[in-house]
Amino acid sequence: MRSSAPRLARRTRRAGRPRGRRGRARRRGPAQAGAPSRFCVYNVEAVAIRRLLDDGVERVAYVDLDAHHGDGVEEAFWDDPRVLTVSVHQSGATLFPGTGHPTDLGGPGAEGTAVNVALPRRTDGARWLRAGDAGVPRGLRAVRPGVRGGRGG
C-alpha cells in the first residue's frame, strides 16, 4: 500500500495558500479520530484541518454530506472554536455510528461550532438538498471561514 501522506501534505499546503478572498481544501475519505474500528484508520480531513490551523488559518469550515455522521472531524475539533463542522446525515437513531444528534453543538468554549442535521431514513434527494441548503450556507456566512472543505459520499 502506497502512503498518501506526502500527497496530502502537498495538497494541504496548496489549499492553505490564499486564492482571492477565500481558499479551499477538499479532502475525501471517511474519518474517525482515535478509533480505527470505524470507517477509516486515518482521519485525513482532521490532519488537513490541523495543518491549516498550524499554518495560521484563523477559521476553517468542514461540511460532510453523506449518509453517515461526520463524527471523526467533529470529535477532533469538538472544543476548538476555530473549526465549524457541519454534518448532514441519516439520523444516528437508525444508522451507524449512532451519533450526530441535533443537540450536539460543540464543547465548552466552542458551542455552536458543531451543526448536525439528522435526517429520517429514506429521505429523498430533494429533501436532502433542502436540508443542506437550509443550514450550510447560513453557517458558512456566520463563521466566515478562511478555508472551506468538505466530503460528500
Side-chain angles (χ1 to χ4, degrees), residues 10-27:
R10 284 191 305 273
R11 288 184 179 174
T12 302
R13 279 192 293 275
R14 278 195 303 255
R17 292 184 189 133
R19 286 189 225 149
R21 286 189 57 209
R22 302 202 193 283
R24 291 184 184 212
R26 295 191 184 265
R27 304 270 45 97

Side-chain angles (χ1 to χ4, degrees), residues 60-63 80-86 112-115 136 139-140 143 145:
V60 177
Y62 172 78
V63 180
D80 194 330
R82 302 172 298 168
V83 180
L84 170 71
T85 60
V86 179
T113 60
V115 178
V136 174
L140 293 175
V143 172

